[in-house]
Amino acid sequence: SGHKGGHVVSSLGAIESFEKLISKKDKEIYGEFPQNFDKLTECRPKINLCVGLKGNWGDDLDCTTCDYTQVRDDNVARPNEHYADRDSELLNISFCSAKDPLKWFKPNTSCVVTSEFPENMLQKLSGVGPTRYSLKDRRGFETFKNHLLKRMNEIFPNTKGAEEYISEVVDMRPGLSQNASRISAQSLRCPTHIANFFLCGSDIGMNGSGGSLDTGLMAAHTILGYTP
């Protein structure tokens, strides 16, 4: 990075880009992280449950083509609702088969349930830069998986008992938390504090593939001089 006559564009994520791609010399010259980067928080590790369901998503399971997304806010939770130890800040349920016209009429359905791990399963890591997390251990892992499946059954009742296949994928480094601090961070932009080093990806845009594509275009325009 920072070498004369070329540019580096990273989509690894802001934290890993600065930690792993910046040379020791550039870190000494420019610093490892941008100004006020330590005010940001990494998104909590996520679990993705891949669920195979028996039955057509529409006729049998009464599901939806849209994602179901739930955001919890413990600050406004009513006293009788113990969100902090029951639900994480994020729950997303997506029926992949419902989004593919080629699979609309098939007798089985694929679903992905995504959630952040709750605080009691995590520990904060010390160090420079944004607050980061790791899993304490796998105790309670199966309990949390079962809780997510129960939530899917509560929200889409016809899925109960239709589960034929369940697997999980854990994402330990999903990127920066999508909160107001991250959105308003002046130092988190395509051009970074290091010469000729640029960022793209959801950390500087919106979550998902759309945000990543948009920021890739932003990085290219910045390098070519189309934008300030």
Side-chain angles (χ1 to χ4, degrees), residues 83-225:
Y83 292 159
D85 60 2
R86 291 192 58 204
D87 289 287
S88 70
E89 293 182 355
L90 169 69
L91 174 68
N92 191 83
I93 302 175
S94 178
F95 294 94
C96 310
S97 302
K99 304 178 188 301
D100 186 352
L102 296 177
K103 298 180 180 178
W104 276 358
F105 304 105
K106 289 195 172 184
N108 46 52
T109 299
S110 58
C111 173
V112 177
V113 182
T114 301
S115 180
E116 293 178 343
F117 282 102
E119 290 281 1
N120 59 7
M121 294 181 66
L122 302 172
Q123 63 182 5
K124 292 183 179 180
L125 300 176
S126 60
V128 181
T131 303
R132 284 163 283 184
Y133 300 92
S134 68
L135 279 177
K136 289 180 181 177
D137 52 44
R138 294 185 70 88
R139 287 182 298 179
F141 190 81
E142 291 299 320
T143 301
F144 186 57
K145 277 177 54 179
N146 291 334
H147 169 68
L148 295 179
L149 291 172
K150 181 181 178 182
R151 293 292 294 125
M152 179 186 72
N153 295 155
E154 289 173 349
I155 298 165
F156 300 97
N158 288 3
T159 62
K160 188 174 183 179
E163 300 92 343
E164 292 186 312
Y165 173 82
I166 302 171
S167 66
E168 70 272 354
V169 176
V170 175
D171 185 0
M172 290 302 301
R173 303 296 299 272
L176 293 173
S177 180
Q178 302 277 318
N179 54 26
S181 297
R182 196 223 59 152
I183 299 298
S184 60
Q186 293 297 315
S187 59
L188 197 60
R189 296 290 185 267
C190 282
T192 69
H193 65 298
I194 296 174
N196 299 332
F197 187 66
F198 300 83
L199 294 179
C200 66
S202 59
D203 274 356
I204 59 170
M206 297 183 296
N207 272 339
S209 58
S212 297
L213 290 171
D214 287 344
T215 57
L217 184 63
M218 288 166 57
H221 278 204
T222 304
I223 292 170
L224 295 172

Side-chain angles (χ1 to χ4, degrees), residues 36-53:
N36 297 322
F37 204 60
D38 59 338
K39 306 298 183 185
L40 304 178
T41 304
E42 185 176 34
C43 188
R44 281 189 270 171
K46 293 180 180 178
I47 181 173
N48 301 281
L49 288 185
C50 306
V51 186
L53 300 162

Side-chain angles (χ1 to χ4, degrees), residues 10-79:
S10 172
S11 62
L12 279 179
I15 299 174
E16 295 203 37
S17 293
F18 292 125
E19 282 184 342
K20 297 181 178 180
L21 299 184
I22 306 304
S23 68
K24 184 178 180 180
K25 180 180 178 181
D26 282 341
K27 288 179 181 179
E28 291 174 352
I29 296 173
Y30 301 103
E32 182 174 8
F33 294 106
Q35 187 177 9
N36 297 322
F37 204 60
D38 59 338
K39 306 298 183 185
L40 304 178
T41 304
E42 185 176 34
C43 188
R44 281 189 270 171
K46 293 180 180 178
I47 181 173
N48 301 281
L49 288 185
C50 306
V51 186
L53 300 162
K54 182 179 181 180
N56 178 265
W57 67 272
D59 295 337
D60 303 315
L61 303 178
D62 194 24
C63 299
T64 174
T65 57
C66 300
D67 285 8
Y68 174 92
T69 302
Q70 168 185 284
V71 177
R72 294 294 198 188
D73 186 348
D74 293 335
N75 294 323
V76 297
R78 294 184 287 275

